[in-house]
Amino acid sequence: MKTVLVLGAGTGGIVTARELSKHSGNEEDINLVKIQVFEKGENSLFSPSLPWVMVGNRKQEEVTKSINKLQASGLEVIQGDIENIDPENISITVKGKQYKGDHMVISLGVDQSDIYNLEQFGHNFFTLKGAEDFHSKLKNFDGGEIAILVSSLPFKSPAAPYEAAMLIEDFVTKNKLNNKTTVSLFTPEAGPMEFASAEASEELKELLEKKGIRYYPNHQLTKVSANKLEFNNGKKYSYNLLAYTPKHQLPEVIRKTDLAGKSGWVEVDNQTLETKFQNVYAIGDITHLKTETGTILPKIGVFARQQGEVVAHNISRKIGNQEPDQIFVPEGKYFIEAGEGKASESGGKFSGEENKKVKMKDPAQWSHFSKWWDEKFWFFKNF
């Protein structure tokens, strides 16, 4: 029996494991392929919902599920920190025990680390605790300066800071604090979601301005103190409540291996997601992928899902002694919450000249419902 090691029970890892089970021929009583999923935490978090948590629209139990509830034939969940990865021999060590596989799919996501002592002054809304703590402060907020800060590049879910800003502005307006509150977004980016088309980026910028959100691009943080942010252009801004994105980097267990590339991320084949080690794949936020035009592909959940499907399909073909016949094409759509019960649909092909055709639609209730349904269906389908 062949064994596939799936490292990480985030978006990409879950899709990979379930697709492997579907394609393997596994049934309730007959397992032809062993699928082992490794996850350090007890729960799987649906991180696209964190901006909702920030404004009190979601609670912990609505955005997390126990990894032990992952359902698929032939699937085994193993909890614990991965202490060592040996890609050459397709093996890993967890709690001192070695697990060996015939194929390995690495979907560990990014390590988050706080820089400039940000954790002392603000809330990391890329974690559940940070989003919850921010909401605790927001619901008792009586006016002042609210800052959303992108602390470093690159970061996953590149729409999240913009969603957070618009949802916070909506909260402030509903609570009649808008006449004594300003919402500001500071980022090192030259424009919102630069990876999208120039048109889509400009439309998002206009949407922020229309809502009265102050937008400060090309602002790289150099220092933070109580109630003050300082940037590389010499400018300083005060704040009363701060939410920030953390620094994103490769997990240390991967940094210790030959998987780490010059980019600081895992280099993979653009089409198959295979690393330089045979039968070892990497998907999701840990990868470094370039389009034909040299643009770096953003770290978006929709791509992790697509990559998981491609890799699972091709591994199943290999196990069945068939040629792999699928490639990863970065395309799809995602929804950006805009407040007032509306969201903007954005999407298209994110490669080559096609990237110029990435469109962003006006905020609509239907798009908000689509985002809501994506969250509900994710848990229904996988847990």
Side-chain angles (χ1 to χ4, degrees), residues 321-352:
N321 294 316
Q322 296 173 295
E323 281 294 313
D325 61 356
Q326 280 194 8
I327 61 170
F328 168 59
V329 178
E331 61 180 305
K333 61 183 178 181
Y334 53 94
F335 301 94
I336 304 168
E337 281 293 285
E340 302 177 89
K342 296 178 180 179
S344 293
E345 179 186 317
S346 189
K349 286 191 176 179
F350 290 80
S351 58

PDB file of all heavy atoms in Angstrom, residues 321-352:
ATOM      1  N   ASN A 321       0.097   4.028 -11.813  1.00  0.00           N
ATOM      2  CA  ASN A 321       1.006   3.800 -12.949  1.00  0.00           C
ATOM      3  C   ASN A 321       0.544   4.491 -14.238  1.00  0.00           C
ATOM      4  O   ASN A 321       0.674   3.955 -15.337  1.00  0.00           O
ATOM      5  CB  ASN A 321       1.182   2.288 -13.203  1.00  0.00           C
ATOM      6  CG  ASN A 321       1.892   1.604 -12.048  1.00  0.00           C
ATOM      7  OD1 ASN A 321       2.875   2.119 -11.525  1.00  0.00           O
ATOM      8  ND2 ASN A 321       1.358   0.463 -11.631  1.00  0.00           N
ATOM      9  N   GLN A 322       0.004   5.697 -14.070  1.00  0.00           N
ATOM     10  CA  GLN A 322      -0.400   6.507 -15.218  1.00  0.00           C
ATOM     11  C   GLN A 322       0.389   7.808 -15.206  1.00  0.00           C
ATOM     12  O   GLN A 322       0.896   8.238 -14.171  1.00  0.00           O
ATOM     13  CB  GLN A 322      -1.903   6.810 -15.159  1.00  0.00           C
ATOM     14  CG  GLN A 322      -2.786   5.582 -15.269  1.00  0.00           C
ATOM     15  CD  GLN A 322      -4.241   5.919 -15.026  1.00  0.00           C
ATOM     16  OE1 GLN A 322      -4.631   6.316 -13.933  1.00  0.00           O
ATOM     17  NE2 GLN A 322      -5.054   5.783 -16.060  1.00  0.00           N
ATOM     18  N   GLU A 323       0.461   8.442 -16.363  1.00  0.00           N
ATOM     19  CA  GLU A 323       1.179   9.708 -16.463  1.00  0.00           C
ATOM     20  C   GLU A 323       0.367  10.837 -15.835  1.00  0.00           C
ATOM     21  O   GLU A 323      -0.833  10.943 -16.089  1.00  0.00           O
ATOM     22  CB  GLU A 323       1.442  10.047 -17.939  1.00  0.00           C
ATOM     23  CG  GLU A 323       2.605   9.296 -18.550  1.00  0.00           C
ATOM     24  CD  GLU A 323       3.941   9.681 -17.946  1.00  0.00           C
ATOM     25  OE1 GLU A 323       4.216  10.887 -17.807  1.00  0.00           O
ATOM     26  OE2 GLU A 323       4.703   8.755 -17.602  1.00  0.00           O
ATOM     27  N   PRO A 324       0.989  11.697 -15.026  1.00  0.00           N
ATOM     28  CA  PRO A 324       0.283  12.884 -14.515  1.00  0.00           C
ATOM     29  C   PRO A 324      -0.177  13.740 -15.691  1.00  0.00           C
ATOM     30  O   PRO A 324       0.559  13.908 -16.667  1.00  0.00           O
ATOM     31  CB  PRO A 324       1.354  13.616 -13.698  1.00  0.00           C
ATOM     32  CG  PRO A 324       2.378  12.576 -13.377  1.00  0.00           C
ATOM     33  CD  PRO A 324       2.371  11.620 -14.529  1.00  0.00           C
ATOM     34  N   ASP A 325      -1.405  14.261 -15.620  1.00  0.00           N
ATOM     35  CA  ASP A 325      -1.925  14.974 -16.789  1.00  0.00           C
ATOM     36  C   ASP A 325      -2.616  16.297 -16.441  1.00  0.00           C
ATOM     37  O   ASP A 325      -3.373  16.832 -17.238  1.00  0.00           O
ATOM     38  CB  ASP A 325      -2.890  14.076 -17.574  1.00  0.00           C
ATOM     39  CG  ASP A 325      -4.105  13.644 -16.754  1.00  0.00           C
ATOM     40  OD1 ASP A 325      -4.162  13.989 -15.548  1.00  0.00           O
ATOM     41  OD2 ASP A 325      -4.993  12.976 -17.307  1.00  0.00           O
ATOM     42  N   GLN A 326      -2.362  16.824 -15.240  1.00  0.00           N
ATOM     43  CA  GLN A 326      -2.937  18.124 -14.888  1.00  0.00           C
ATOM     44  C   GLN A 326      -1.832  19.113 -14.531  1.00  0.00           C
ATOM     45  O   GLN A 326      -0.795  18.725 -13.983  1.00  0.00           O
ATOM     46  CB  GLN A 326      -3.917  18.007 -13.712  1.00  0.00           C
ATOM     47  CG  GLN A 326      -5.292  17.514 -14.121  1.00  0.00           C
ATOM     48  CD  GLN A 326      -6.338  17.730 -13.040  1.00  0.00           C
ATOM     49  OE1 GLN A 326      -6.085  18.374 -12.024  1.00  0.00           O
ATOM     50  NE2 GLN A 326      -7.513  17.183 -13.255  1.00  0.00           N
ATOM     51  N   ILE A 327      -2.074  20.379 -14.854  1.00  0.00           N
ATOM     52  CA  ILE A 327      -1.125  21.429 -14.475  1.00  0.00           C
ATOM     53  C   ILE A 327      -1.879  22.546 -13.752  1.00  0.00           C
ATOM     54  O   ILE A 327      -3.084  22.710 -13.911  1.00  0.00           O
ATOM     55  CB  ILE A 327      -0.372  22.010 -15.693  1.00  0.00           C
ATOM     56  CG1 ILE A 327      -1.355  22.647 -16.688  1.00  0.00           C
ATOM     57  CG2 ILE A 327       0.486  20.951 -16.363  1.00  0.00           C
ATOM     58  CD1 ILE A 327      -0.683  23.448 -17.786  1.00  0.00           C
ATOM     59  N   PHE A 328      -1.155  23.296 -12.947  1.00  0.00           N
ATOM     60  CA  PHE A 328      -1.742  24.402 -12.200  1.00  0.00           C
ATOM     61  C   PHE A 328      -1.802  25.656 -13.074  1.00  0.00           C
ATOM     62  O   PHE A 328      -0.797  26.094 -13.618  1.00  0.00           O
ATOM     63  CB  PHE A 328      -0.899  24.679 -10.944  1.00  0.00           C
ATOM     64  CG  PHE A 328      -1.250  25.967 -10.259  1.00  0.00           C
ATOM     65  CD1 PHE A 328      -2.529  26.206  -9.781  1.00  0.00           C
ATOM     66  CD2 PHE A 328      -0.288  26.957 -10.091  1.00  0.00           C
ATOM     67  CE1 PHE A 328      -2.849  27.397  -9.139  1.00  0.00           C
ATOM     68  CE2 PHE A 328      -0.592  28.154  -9.453  1.00  0.00           C
ATOM     69  CZ  PHE A 328      -1.879  28.377  -8.981  1.00  0.00           C
ATOM     70  N   VAL A 329      -3.002  26.187 -13.224  1.00  0.00           N
ATOM     71  CA  VAL A 329      -3.208  27.451 -13.937  1.00  0.00           C
ATOM     72  C   VAL A 329      -3.823  28.434 -12.933  1.00  0.00           C
ATOM     73  O   VAL A 329      -4.933  28.208 -12.452  1.00  0.00           O
ATOM     74  CB  VAL A 329      -4.149  27.281 -15.146  1.00  0.00           C
ATOM     75  CG1 VAL A 329      -4.375  28.619 -15.839  1.00  0.00           C
ATOM     76  CG2 VAL A 329      -3.590  26.249 -16.116  1.00  0.00           C
ATOM     77  N   PRO A 330      -3.101  29.507 -12.586  1.00  0.00           N
ATOM     78  CA  PRO A 330      -3.602  30.419 -11.553  1.00  0.00           C
ATOM     79  C   PRO A 330      -4.761  31.286 -12.026  1.00  0.00           C
ATOM     80  O   PRO A 330      -4.565  32.317 -12.651  1.00  0.00           O
ATOM     81  CB  PRO A 330      -2.380  31.277 -11.209  1.00  0.00           C
ATOM     82  CG  PRO A 330      -1.541  31.244 -12.439  1.00  0.00           C
ATOM     83  CD  PRO A 330      -1.786  29.921 -13.083  1.00  0.00           C
ATOM     84  N   GLU A 331      -5.953  30.829 -11.753  1.00  0.00           N
ATOM     85  CA  GLU A 331      -7.128  31.626 -12.082  1.00  0.00           C
ATOM     86  C   GLU A 331      -8.213  31.337 -11.056  1.00  0.00           C
ATOM     87  O   GLU A 331      -8.186  30.316 -10.362  1.00  0.00           O
ATOM     88  CB  GLU A 331      -7.632  31.318 -13.495  1.00  0.00           C
ATOM     89  CG  GLU A 331      -8.067  29.890 -13.724  1.00  0.00           C
ATOM     90  CD  GLU A 331      -8.559  29.681 -15.157  1.00  0.00           C
ATOM     91  OE1 GLU A 331      -9.473  30.423 -15.557  1.00  0.00           O
ATOM     92  OE2 GLU A 331      -8.040  28.800 -15.848  1.00  0.00           O
ATOM     93  N   GLY A 332      -9.151  32.249 -10.954  1.00  0.00           N
ATOM     94  CA  GLY A 332     -10.228  32.047  -9.998  1.00  0.00           C
ATOM     95  C   GLY A 332     -10.776  33.373  -9.525  1.00  0.00           C
ATOM     96  O   GLY A 332     -10.378  34.439  -9.998  1.00  0.00           O
ATOM     97  N   LYS A 333     -11.690  33.302  -8.588  1.00  0.00           N
ATOM     98  CA  LYS A 333     -12.268  34.532  -8.051  1.00  0.00           C
ATOM     99  C   LYS A 333     -12.301  34.475  -6.529  1.00  0.00           C
ATOM    100  O   LYS A 333     -12.274  33.391  -5.934  1.00  0.00           O
ATOM    101  CB  LYS A 333     -13.671  34.754  -8.620  1.00  0.00           C
ATOM    102  CG  LYS A 333     -14.670  33.656  -8.295  1.00  0.00           C
ATOM    103  CD  LYS A 333     -16.005  33.938  -8.977  1.00  0.00           C
ATOM    104  CE  LYS A 333     -17.009  32.821  -8.702  1.00  0.00           C
ATOM    105  NZ  LYS A 333     -18.303  33.062  -9.379  1.00  0.00           N
ATOM    106  N   TYR A 334     -12.342  35.630  -5.943  1.00  0.00           N
ATOM    107  CA  TYR A 334     -12.456  35.736  -4.491  1.00  0.00           C
ATOM    108  C   TYR A 334     -13.287  36.977  -4.194  1.00  0.00           C
ATOM    109  O   TYR A 334     -13.551  37.803  -5.070  1.00  0.00           O
ATOM    110  CB  TYR A 334     -11.076  35.799  -3.825  1.00  0.00           C
ATOM    111  CG  TYR A 334     -10.177  36.872  -4.381  1.00  0.00           C
ATOM    112  CD1 TYR A 334     -10.101  38.126  -3.801  1.00  0.00           C
ATOM    113  CD2 TYR A 334      -9.391  36.623  -5.516  1.00  0.00           C
ATOM    114  CE1 TYR A 334      -9.291  39.114  -4.321  1.00  0.00           C
ATOM    115  CE2 TYR A 334      -8.573  37.607  -6.043  1.00  0.00           C
ATOM    116  CZ  TYR A 334      -8.533  38.845  -5.443  1.00  0.00           C
ATOM    117  OH  TYR A 334      -7.734  39.826  -5.966  1.00  0.00           O
ATOM    118  N   PHE A 335     -13.728  37.083  -2.952  1.00  0.00           N
ATOM    119  CA  PHE A 335     -14.649  38.155  -2.583  1.00  0.00           C
ATOM    120  C   PHE A 335     -14.048  39.030  -1.493  1.00  0.00           C
ATOM    121  O   PHE A 335     -13.477  38.529  -0.523  1.00  0.00           O
ATOM    122  CB  PHE A 335     -15.981  37.554  -2.113  1.00  0.00           C
ATOM    123  CG  PHE A 335     -16.633  36.703  -3.166  1.00  0.00           C
ATOM    124  CD1 PHE A 335     -16.437  35.320  -3.195  1.00  0.00           C
ATOM    125  CD2 PHE A 335     -17.406  37.269  -4.160  1.00  0.00           C
ATOM    126  CE1 PHE A 335     -17.009  34.528  -4.169  1.00  0.00           C
ATOM    127  CE2 PHE A 335     -17.985  36.488  -5.156  1.00  0.00           C
ATOM    128  CZ  PHE A 335     -17.788  35.123  -5.165  1.00  0.00           C
ATOM    129  N   ILE A 336     -14.180  40.339  -1.675  1.00  0.00           N
ATOM    130  CA  ILE A 336     -13.621  41.308  -0.732  1.00  0.00           C
ATOM    131  C   ILE A 336     -14.771  41.998  -0.018  1.00  0.00           C
ATOM    132  O   ILE A 336     -15.565  42.722  -0.637  1.00  0.00           O
ATOM    133  CB  ILE A 336     -12.758  42.355  -1.470  1.00  0.00           C
ATOM    134  CG1 ILE A 336     -11.666  41.663  -2.291  1.00  0.00           C
ATOM    135  CG2 ILE A 336     -12.145  43.342  -0.483  1.00  0.00           C
ATOM    136  CD1 ILE A 336     -10.963  42.584  -3.263  1.00  0.00           C
ATOM    137  N   GLU A 337     -14.883  41.751   1.280  1.00  0.00           N
ATOM    138  CA  GLU A 337     -15.943  42.378   2.066  1.00  0.00           C
ATOM    139  C   GLU A 337     -15.792  43.900   2.039  1.00  0.00           C
ATOM    140  O   GLU A 337     -14.687  44.428   2.229  1.00  0.00           O
ATOM    141  CB  GLU A 337     -15.889  41.884   3.512  1.00  0.00           C
ATOM    142  CG  GLU A 337     -16.500  40.521   3.708  1.00  0.00           C
ATOM    143  CD  GLU A 337     -18.005  40.528   3.487  1.00  0.00           C
ATOM    144  OE1 GLU A 337     -18.737  41.018   4.351  1.00  0.00           O
ATOM    145  OE2 GLU A 337     -18.447  40.029   2.433  1.00  0.00           O
ATOM    146  N   ALA A 338     -16.912  44.597   1.815  1.00  0.00           N
ATOM    147  CA  ALA A 338     -16.862  46.055   1.697  1.00  0.00           C
ATOM    148  C   ALA A 338     -17.742  46.759   2.726  1.00  0.00           C
ATOM    149  O   ALA A 338     -17.884  47.980   2.680  1.00  0.00           O
ATOM    150  CB  ALA A 338     -17.291  46.466   0.289  1.00  0.00           C
ATOM    151  N   GLY A 339     -18.319  45.987   3.676  1.00  0.00           N
ATOM    152  CA  GLY A 339     -19.217  46.591   4.646  1.00  0.00           C
ATOM    153  C   GLY A 339     -20.619  46.737   4.089  1.00  0.00           C
ATOM    154  O   GLY A 339     -20.861  46.484   2.901  1.00  0.00           O
ATOM    155  N   GLU A 340     -21.554  47.129   4.935  1.00  0.00           N
ATOM    156  CA  GLU A 340     -22.960  47.335   4.556  1.00  0.00           C
ATOM    157  C   GLU A 340     -23.593  46.075   3.969  1.00  0.00           C
ATOM    158  O   GLU A 340     -24.512  46.151   3.147  1.00  0.00           O
ATOM    159  CB  GLU A 340     -23.089  48.494   3.550  1.00  0.00           C
ATOM    160  CG  GLU A 340     -22.555  49.822   4.056  1.00  0.00           C
ATOM    161  CD  GLU A 340     -22.631  50.915   2.992  1.00  0.00           C
ATOM    162  OE1 GLU A 340     -23.673  51.581   2.922  1.00  0.00           O
ATOM    163  OE2 GLU A 340     -21.636  51.085   2.253  1.00  0.00           O
ATOM    164  N   GLY A 341     -23.087  44.909   4.383  1.00  0.00           N
ATOM    165  CA  GLY A 341     -23.641  43.654   3.870  1.00  0.00           C
ATOM    166  C   GLY A 341     -23.337  43.411   2.411  1.00  0.00           C
ATOM    167  O   GLY A 341     -24.049  42.663   1.730  1.00  0.00           O
ATOM    168  N   LYS A 342     -22.274  44.017   1.905  1.00  0.00           N
ATOM    169  CA  LYS A 342     -21.901  43.853   0.503  1.00  0.00           C
ATOM    170  C   LYS A 342     -20.441  43.408   0.376  1.00  0.00           C
ATOM    171  O   LYS A 342     -19.642  43.605   1.287  1.00  0.00           O
ATOM    172  CB  LYS A 342     -22.095  45.169  -0.261  1.00  0.00           C
ATOM    173  CG  LYS A 342     -23.541  45.644  -0.321  1.00  0.00           C
ATOM    174  CD  LYS A 342     -23.644  46.974  -1.055  1.00  0.00           C
ATOM    175  CE  LYS A 342     -25.098  47.455  -1.104  1.00  0.00           C
ATOM    176  NZ  LYS A 342     -25.213  48.757  -1.799  1.00  0.00           N
ATOM    177  N   ALA A 343     -20.120  42.829  -0.774  1.00  0.00           N
ATOM    178  CA  ALA A 343     -18.741  42.436  -1.073  1.00  0.00           C
ATOM    179  C   ALA A 343     -18.486  42.653  -2.561  1.00  0.00           C
ATOM    180  O   ALA A 343     -19.427  42.707  -3.361  1.00  0.00           O
ATOM    181  CB  ALA A 343     -18.497  40.978  -0.697  1.00  0.00           C
ATOM    182  N   SER A 344     -17.218  42.779  -2.913  1.00  0.00           N
ATOM    183  CA  SER A 344     -16.822  42.926  -4.321  1.00  0.00           C
ATOM    184  C   SER A 344     -16.231  41.610  -4.811  1.00  0.00           C
ATOM    185  O   SER A 344     -15.369  41.032  -4.151  1.00  0.00           O
ATOM    186  CB  SER A 344     -15.770  44.032  -4.470  1.00  0.00           C
ATOM    187  OG  SER A 344     -16.320  45.287  -4.176  1.00  0.00           O
ATOM    188  N   GLU A 345     -16.702  41.168  -5.952  1.00  0.00           N
ATOM    189  CA  GLU A 345     -16.121  39.977  -6.569  1.00  0.00           C
ATOM    190  C   GLU A 345     -14.957  40.406  -7.443  1.00  0.00           C
ATOM    191  O   GLU A 345     -15.048  41.348  -8.214  1.00  0.00           O
ATOM    192  CB  GLU A 345     -17.166  39.263  -7.428  1.00  0.00           C
ATOM    193  CG  GLU A 345     -16.620  38.025  -8.114  1.00  0.00           C
ATOM    194  CD  GLU A 345     -17.615  37.400  -9.075  1.00  0.00           C
ATOM    195  OE1 GLU A 345     -18.802  37.309  -8.721  1.00  0.00           O
ATOM    196  OE2 GLU A 345     -17.189  37.021 -10.183  1.00  0.00           O
ATOM    197  N   SER A 346     -13.840  39.721  -7.267  1.00  0.00           N
ATOM    198  CA  SER A 346     -12.661  40.015  -8.065  1.00  0.00           C
ATOM    199  C   SER A 346     -12.116  38.697  -8.599  1.00  0.00           C
ATOM    200  O   SER A 346     -12.120  37.692  -7.900  1.00  0.00           O
ATOM    201  CB  SER A 346     -11.605  40.711  -7.212  1.00  0.00           C
ATOM    202  OG  SER A 346     -10.549  41.186  -8.006  1.00  0.00           O
ATOM    203  N   GLY A 347     -11.656  38.709  -9.843  1.00  0.00           N
ATOM    204  CA  GLY A 347     -11.122  37.454 -10.358  1.00  0.00           C
ATOM    205  C   GLY A 347     -10.779  37.503 -11.826  1.00  0.00           C
ATOM    206  O   GLY A 347     -10.953  38.506 -12.509  1.00  0.00           O
ATOM    207  N   GLY A 348     -10.255  36.371 -12.285  1.00  0.00           N
ATOM    208  CA  GLY A 348      -9.806  36.239 -13.664  1.00  0.00           C
ATOM    209  C   GLY A 348      -8.593  35.343 -13.713  1.00  0.00           C
ATOM    210  O   GLY A 348      -8.350  34.552 -12.801  1.00  0.00           O
ATOM    211  N   LYS A 349      -7.806  35.485 -14.761  1.00  0.00           N
ATOM    212  CA  LYS A 349      -6.560  34.719 -14.888  1.00  0.00           C
ATOM    213  C   LYS A 349      -5.411  35.579 -14.380  1.00  0.00           C
ATOM    214  O   LYS A 349      -5.276  36.733 -14.753  1.00  0.00           O
ATOM    215  CB  LYS A 349      -6.317  34.309 -16.342  1.00  0.00           C
ATOM    216  CG  LYS A 349      -7.221  33.181 -16.797  1.00  0.00           C
ATOM    217  CD  LYS A 349      -6.777  32.634 -18.139  1.00  0.00           C
ATOM    218  CE  LYS A 349      -7.640  31.430 -18.532  1.00  0.00           C
ATOM    219  NZ  LYS A 349      -7.252  30.871 -19.839  1.00  0.00           N
ATOM    220  N   PHE A 350      -4.583  34.982 -13.520  1.00  0.00           N
ATOM    221  CA  PHE A 350      -3.495  35.722 -12.895  1.00  0.00           C
ATOM    222  C   PHE A 350      -2.154  35.363 -13.517  1.00  0.00           C
ATOM    223  O   PHE A 350      -1.158  35.210 -12.827  1.00  0.00           O
ATOM    224  CB  PHE A 350      -3.465  35.428 -11.395  1.00  0.00           C
ATOM    225  CG  PHE A 350      -4.620  36.012 -10.649  1.00  0.00           C
ATOM    226  CD1 PHE A 350      -5.858  35.391 -10.653  1.00  0.00           C
ATOM    227  CD2 PHE A 350      -4.491  37.185  -9.933  1.00  0.00           C
ATOM    228  CE1 PHE A 350      -6.933  35.921  -9.964  1.00  0.00           C
ATOM    229  CE2 PHE A 350      -5.554  37.736  -9.245  1.00  0.00           C
ATOM    230  CZ  PHE A 350      -6.777  37.106  -9.257  1.00  0.00           C
ATOM    231  N   SER A 351      -2.131  35.209 -14.833  1.00  0.00           N
ATOM    232  CA  SER A 351      -0.867  34.858 -15.482  1.00  0.00           C
ATOM    233  C   SER A 351      -0.735  35.578 -16.818  1.00  0.00           C
ATOM    234  O   SER A 351      -1.722  35.786 -17.530  1.00  0.00           O
ATOM    235  CB  SER A 351      -0.779  33.342 -15.704  1.00  0.00           C
ATOM    236  OG  SER A 351      -1.859  32.901 -16.485  1.00  0.00           O
ATOM    237  N   GLY A 352       0.502  35.955 -17.122  1.00  0.00           N
ATOM    238  CA  GLY A 352       0.809  36.570 -18.408  1.00  0.00           C
ATOM    239  C   GLY A 352      -0.040  37.789 -18.715  1.00  0.00           C
ATOM    240  O   GLY A 352      -0.435  38.545 -17.842  1.00  0.00           O
TER     241      GLY A 352
END
